[in-house]
Amino acid sequence: MSEMISGAEGLIKSLLSEGVDMVFGYPGGAIISVYDKLFDYQDKIRHILVRHEQGAIHAAQGYARITGRPGVVIVTSGPGAANVVTGLSDALMDSTPLVVISGQVASAFLGTDAFQETDVVAMTQQITKWAIQIRRPEDIPDAVARAFYIASTGRPGPVVLDIAKDAQIGMMEWQHKTCDYIRSYNPMPHVDSADVLEVAELLNNAKHPLILSGHGVAISNAEEELLQIAQTADIPVAATLLGLSTINSDVPQYKGMLGMHGNIGPNIATNKADVILALGMRFDDRVTGDAKKYALAPKIIHVDIDPSELNKNIKVFKAINADAKSFLSSLALFIKPNKHDEWNKLFEQCDKVEYDEVIMPEVHPNSGKMKMGEVVNAVTKAAGKGAVCVTDVGQNQMFASRYFKYSAPKSFISSGGLGTMGFGLPAAIGASMGAPDRTICLFVGDGGLQMTIQELGTIMEHGAKVKIVLLNNNFLGNVRQWQTLFFHSRYSQTHMLNPDFVALAAAYAIPGEDVTSREDLPAAIDRMLSHDGTYLLNVDIDASDMIFPMIPAGGTVDNIMLNENKKFSL
Amino acid sequence: MDKELFTVSVFSENTVGLMSQVTIIFTRRCINIESICASECSIPGVHKWTITAWSTREVMEKVVKQIEKCVDVIRAFLLTDDDIVYQEVALYKVSTALLIDEPHLESIIRTHGARIIDVTREFTVIEKTGHYRETQALFEELKRYDIRQFVRSGRVTVTKSNREYVSEYIEEQKIRAERQKKS
Ligand SMILES: Cc1ncc(C[n+]2csc(CCOP(=O)(O)OP(=O)(O)O)c2C)c(N)n1
């Protein structure tokens, strides 16, 4: 018989056997026993003490997105658990594996409105892949094994383990438990070879094929297979927001980003293609615009690991429930070499218009205040190969996603489905913790930065290395843009009186500088990149700058605004 | 599009909290659940629930996929009345005095194939099983006299298939488990 240990210690041993060596968290009364045991295991598990639980969960998301392994979060009951709700919702939308452990009042007090009791399972059921309460210490090893299995397999997602105090304190006989099978859960659909052959045939015969690469390609590590197919058959590839960096920016077959602020070529091509292969993406309304009028001509083949995404937002010609990597590696065997010069001309034409009308004035302006696009462009050039782009939400996110150059897989981290302001800084911290050797560039607005700015304290204490590029327009820029375009320039509650950000960073022992003129930008970027640690660039941005091209919400993908007054046409 | 009455048959593990997880899938899409009934089915440990709701096929197909996505749901099936044999039960409470004073009541109960399941000095409880149409018909007739209380259960169903719809799937899962163990 093995020796008896507490549930709290059992939890830590189970985390260790899942390979966990880093957790993000914040202590409190209902989780104090676990923290007490963590004290004994400091050499094996590094605990990153954040400044707010929202910071913990977004950091864990950043960590999970860059490593592909579940991020682990530990919080207390009631307010601690409530503070991770935004992150759970974000992680579910963006298929991010997380295991969130929350303390809970002792089981005798459940349902009595005890101090710091909230019904965490009920509260999180709709925003997690799985949420359970544990009331007995002996249930911990099984629950942890299941949690990691569920979080990381199939379509990944967040899992909550709500552990009552008595289960943490009570004694148990710990056993190593693993989980690779649950009767009611079948995460790895079988790839049907008939489907593969049919799709190969469709693609081989297509005159105007188009691949839409989504987050699923990154999650399943199918970047190489994608590249091979795209290059062999010369098939243009467009990426969704979270599909960015599934194919390098300099690959000729890569044609840019889809969606509301995506590149013109891919959006226009959506309606002109004859066959579309959509991989690990979900036809979100920011990609489709008016779903009823989306891509009516092409035969769409939709491959996704989550069957509930198939035929959900749009009806497709062929729906295939499969893991992107398994599917693509089979498909690659049947793809014939091909050339699509004629079809590629469409992208060249679109690119030319986009370059002249949108990119040129954004990236190389010669007068006026600085623009977000030119800053992102300067940073990405200086940061070089392998750099990671983390964004917050708003104009900063769209400019960063559009103008950053991706030269390695897993190089883009952003809150896509939920669009959570405040995601950027903590996610960048987590990414830096997960990949300390990569250059992590964060692009963030003055609004979003202040939503989780307390995490500068986490950086100070734990030494994450984040290149913080604050695109500061003293406005909630994205909302301001909509007010300009659709609400008669009535800037209701979008102007912000901001603090001295560089002084604020300095208070946290983080160096930084204000950049107010274009001439100073390159040298400032060099100082930021060559500093060994976090550095803040507070860049003074033209508040009237707007992100274009733009497909207005609910519009069709070929109805593209080039600027306030001009529509795209070929 | 015109709405129809659909029956969703859900097979699940017996997990606390799963009910609310499943019902919220309907609520999110503003679908009113007509009835819901759950019990263990012929496979030990597997619970079968019958949910009925008015909606369109297109919407219900998506709902069923989202139900299946719950980790503890084994399978969920979208059924129409052609696929199933179903039944409901209704209880009607009338005063015993009324039953004695109104001679017609006896023949009404008889022709509707209902039965009396409890009698006290004050009241009598009548039970009728059948489809909605049938239990409603008895209700309409009794209503002409005086009904003290009335209740109708949700639908319970079995499919016209040979075994539980989920049996084959569970067999497949056993094979999957074996394979997993070996690898
Ligand atoms: C938590 C949260 N609240 C509100 C919004 C709505 N929203 C979307 S973008 C935006 C403005 C962001 O402003 P800022 O952070 O300064 O970035 P900018 O757009 O100027 O780059 C707002 C308020 C949101 N996405 N998230």
Side-chain angles (χ1 to χ4, degrees):
Chain A
M1 210 176 102
S2 63
E3 60 169 332
M4 300 289 277
I5 59 172
S6 70
E9 186 167 6
L11 172 69
I12 290 167
K13 291 185 74 155
S14 290
L15 291 177
L16 285 171
S17 62
E18 293 294 336
V20 173
D21 56 8
M22 186 179 289
V23 298
F24 302 86
Y26 209 93
I31 194 78
I32 197 163
S33 315
V34 171
Y35 274 87
D36 184 57
K37 278 298 156 201
L38 266 176
F39 202 65
D40 296 332
Y41 286 84
Q42 287 176 62
D43 55 331
K44 296 202 176 68
I45 295 187
R46 182 169 175 206
H47 179 277
I48 308 295
L49 178 66
V50 294
R51 298 301 184 260
H52 184 295
E53 288 89 349
Q54 186 185 358
I57 192 159
H58 292 328
Q61 289 178 271
Y63 176 90
R65 294 266 284 269
I66 209 156
T67 62
R69 294 198 305 273
V72 181
V73 177
I74 304 180
V75 296
T76 193
S77 67
N83 276 345
V84 301
V85 161
T86 308
L88 288 172
S89 192
D90 194 288
L92 184 71
M93 280 274 214
D94 286 353
S95 318
T96 308
L98 296 180
V99 174
V100 176
I101 293 154
S102 62
Q104 180 56 281
V105 300
S107 41
F109 288 99
L110 286 168
T112 66
D113 299 321
F115 179 62
Q116 294 192 329
E117 182 194 3
T118 50
D119 189 345
V120 172
V121 171
M123 197 166 74
T124 62
Q125 240 174 7
Q126 292 308 307
I127 48 171
T128 53
K129 196 169 166 189
W130 193 61
I132 67 152
Q133 189 172 66
I134 301 164
R135 298 179 209 93
R136 304 186 310 173
E138 59 270 33
D139 294 340
I140 289 176
D142 257 329
V144 171
R146 274 184 165 237
F148 276 83
Y149 176 59
I150 293 170
S152 58
T153 52
R155 178 175 177 179
V159 164
V160 166
L161 299 178
D162 186 39
I163 310 182
K165 260 183 111 154
D166 40 331
Q168 299 168 32
I169 297 165
M171 302 300 277
M172 53 121 81
E173 212 181 301
W174 186 82
Q175 273 187 331
H176 174 74
K177 288 276 167 82
T178 57
C179 178
D180 58 8
Y181 170 78
I182 295 173
R183 173 170 73 174
S184 57
Y185 171 70
N186 195 348
M188 205 33 145
H190 168 77
V191 177
D192 190 338
S193 50
D195 285 343
V196 174
L197 290 174
E198 186 185 341
V199 173
E201 173 99 6
L202 279 165
L203 281 177
N204 286 335
N205 293 325
K207 292 261 171 314
H208 302 154
L210 178 65
I211 294 178
L212 313 182
S213 176
H215 197 193
V217 174
I219 293 170
S220 68
N221 299 313
E223 290 95 345
E224 262 181 47
E225 290 81 355
L226 172 68
L227 181 67
Q228 192 197 332
I229 290 170
Q231 288 188 325
T232 306
D234 188 29
I235 301 175
V237 178
T240 66
L241 182 69
L242 297 193
L244 290 174
S245 84
T246 52
I247 182 162
N248 287 352
S249 306
D250 61 2
V251 173
Q253 282 76 20
Y254 177 59
K255 305 299 182 192
M257 183 169 78
L258 294 163
M260 180 178 272
H261 297 294
N263 296 98
I264 296 175
N267 280 321
I268 291 291
T270 305
N271 279 349
K272 297 202 187 290
D274 54 359
V275 175
I276 288 181
L277 175 61
L279 298 166
M281 52 89 76
R282 59 193 179 88
F283 296 103
D284 173 77
D285 53 89
R286 284 293 185 267
V287 161
T288 61
D290 183 352
K292 290 207 174 64
K293 296 183 188 143
Y294 177 80
L296 297 178
K299 288 183 173 160
I300 301 179
I301 304 145
H302 186 193
V303 181
D304 202 284
I305 196 159
D306 176 355
S308 76
E309 291 296 350
L310 301 171
N311 288 316
K312 183 180 87 174
N313 293 339
I314 60 156
K315 277 236 171 287
V316 297
F317 175 75
K318 187 156 182 66
I320 298 175
N321 180 213
D323 168 72
K325 190 185 181 82
S326 317
F327 183 80
L328 289 184
S329 50
S330 305
L331 183 66
L333 305 173
F334 303 100
I335 290 295
K336 294 194 186 122
N338 212 333
K339 270 284 167 208
H340 294 288
D341 294 336
E342 184 59 37
W343 175 224
N344 280 317
K345 287 217 177 79
L346 171 73
F347 295 94
E348 282 162 28
Q349 285 169 338
C350 292
D351 284 353
K352 169 136 183 42
V353 176
E354 184 168 343
Y355 190 81
D356 294 346
E357 299 280 347
V358 181
I359 299 175
M360 188 62 193
E362 178 63 38
V363 171
H364 304 290
N366 31 34
S367 62
K369 283 175 98 174
M370 277 178 283
K371 292 179 173 273
M372 291 195 188
E374 79 174 299
V375 178
V376 175
N377 184 57
V379 171
T380 194
K381 282 205 167 123
K385 289 229 181 296
V388 178
C389 174
V390 183
T391 83
D392 203 75
V393 166
Q395 291 181 314
N396 60 84
Q397 176 184 36
M398 290 299 121
F399 278 110
S401 58
R402 278 178 58 84
Y403 293 106
F404 203 83
K405 297 279 179 268
Y406 307 97
S407 55
K410 319 286 184 281
S411 298
F412 182 73
I413 298 173
S414 186
S415 166
L418 204 64
T420 305
M421 281 174 71
F423 174 86
L425 180 63
I429 293 172
S432 163
M433 297 291 182
D437 297 332
R438 297 186 70 178
T439 303
I440 311 288
C441 303
L442 167 68
F443 298 94
V444 57
D446 43 298
L449 181 60
Q450 291 180 80
M451 282 209 174
T452 45
I453 197 162
Q454 75 283 348
E455 300 310 329
L456 290 176
T458 308
I459 293 179
M460 175 173 68
E461 185 168 347
H462 296 281
K465 295 181 187 176
V466 182
K467 309 303 172 190
I468 306 174
V469 182
L470 171 55
L471 300 170
N472 187 351
N473 50 14
N474 295 302
F475 266 97
L476 300 174
N478 215 26
V479 181
R480 184 189 194 277
Q481 172 165 350
W482 284 46
Q483 288 171 332
T484 307
L485 295 176
F486 312 120
F487 293 88
H488 308 288
S489 299
R490 286 152 51 92
Y491 299 122
S492 177
Q493 302 301 323
T494 41
H495 175 68
M496 269 203 178
L497 179 61
N498 279 324
D500 179 340
F501 286 105
V502 172
L504 202 56
Y508 288 100
I510 294 169
E513 60 190 286
D514 293 317
V515 187
T516 50
S517 83
R518 173 161 295 127
E519 293 68 44
D520 299 339
L521 184 64
I525 290 173
D526 285 344
R527 281 190 289 276
M528 170 179 78
L529 292 172
S530 57
H531 174 72
D532 183 25
T534 294
Y535 196 95
L536 174 86
L537 280 195
N538 177 29
V539 190
D540 190 20
I541 294 288
D542 176 6
S544 67
D545 194 10
M546 288 197 266
I547 177 80
F548 286 108
M550 179 174 189
I551 299 167
T556 54
V557 288
D558 46 11
N559 195 351
I560 301 173
M561 294 166 73
L562 293 172
N563 57 45
E564 266 180 272
N565 310 310
K566 195 166 175 186
K567 281 203 170 157
F568 169 80
S569 64
L570 267 183
Chain B
M1 222 191 290
D2 273 350
K3 291 183 176 176
E4 305 173 56
L5 185 67
F6 284 97
T7 298
V8 181
S9 191
V10 180
F11 294 86
S12 78
E13 304 295 351
N14 184 14
T15 324
V16 180
L18 190 56
M19 177 81 85
S20 65
Q21 215 181 333
V22 169
T23 53
I24 283 181
I25 295 170
F26 290 84
T27 322
R28 273 181 79 185
R29 289 183 178 264
C30 301
I31 304 171
N32 216 341
I33 291 176
E34 282 294 315
S35 73
I36 189 162
C37 246
S39 71
E40 202 173 22
C41 77
S42 68
I43 306 163
V46 175
H47 277 239
K48 174 153 83 177
W49 337 0
T50 305
I51 305 170
T52 59
W54 289 88
S55 188
T56 60
R57 174 163 289 278
E58 192 188 337
V59 170
M60 287 306 290
E61 278 172 356
K62 294 177 190 179
V63 165
V64 166
K65 281 200 216 166
Q66 279 174 324
I67 293 173
E68 273 198 339
K69 196 170 155 178
C70 300
V71 167
D72 293 306
V73 168
I74 301 172
R75 287 301 299 274
F77 301 95
L78 181 62
L79 308 169
T80 60
D81 290 358
D82 297 338
D83 306 316
I84 52 179
V85 178
Y86 61 96
Q87 197 71 311
E88 294 167 2
V89 57
L91 300 179
Y92 314 72
K93 188 163 130 182
V94 298
S95 92
T96 303
L98 179 76
L99 206 62
I100 294 165
D101 295 345
E102 287 287 349
H104 288 310
L105 281 183
E106 192 216 306
S107 78
I108 290 174
I109 293 168
R110 198 181 282 282
T111 48
H112 280 268
R115 59 189 190 124
I116 289 174
I117 57 170
D118 196 17
V119 183
T120 71
R121 271 179 208 289
E122 281 117 60
F123 64 82
T124 297
V125 178
I126 303 160
E127 179 218 271
K128 157 106 192 109
T129 58
H131 288 184
Y132 177 90
R133 184 169 32 78
E134 296 162 331
T135 55
Q136 186 65 16
L138 179 55
F139 176 78
E140 298 292 342
E141 289 219 45
L142 292 176
K143 207 169 67 174
R144 283 194 273 136
Y145 302 90
D146 181 25
I147 301 181
R148 295 274 173 91
Q149 286 184 28
F150 170 68
V151 68
R152 177 165 35 223
S153 76
R155 195 179 256 205
V156 289
T157 58
V158 289
T159 50
K160 291 180 181 166
S161 63
N162 227 343
R163 294 173 63 200
E164 301 280 7
Y165 263 23
V166 83
S167 309
E168 206 173 295
Y169 178 81
I170 287 182
E171 292 304 320
E172 281 168 25
Q173 296 315 299
K174 281 190 192 139
I175 298 169
R176 177 165 73 94
E178 287 305 314
R179 233 188 285 130
Q180 213 100 315
K181 259 193 213 106
K182 274 185 211 132
S183 70

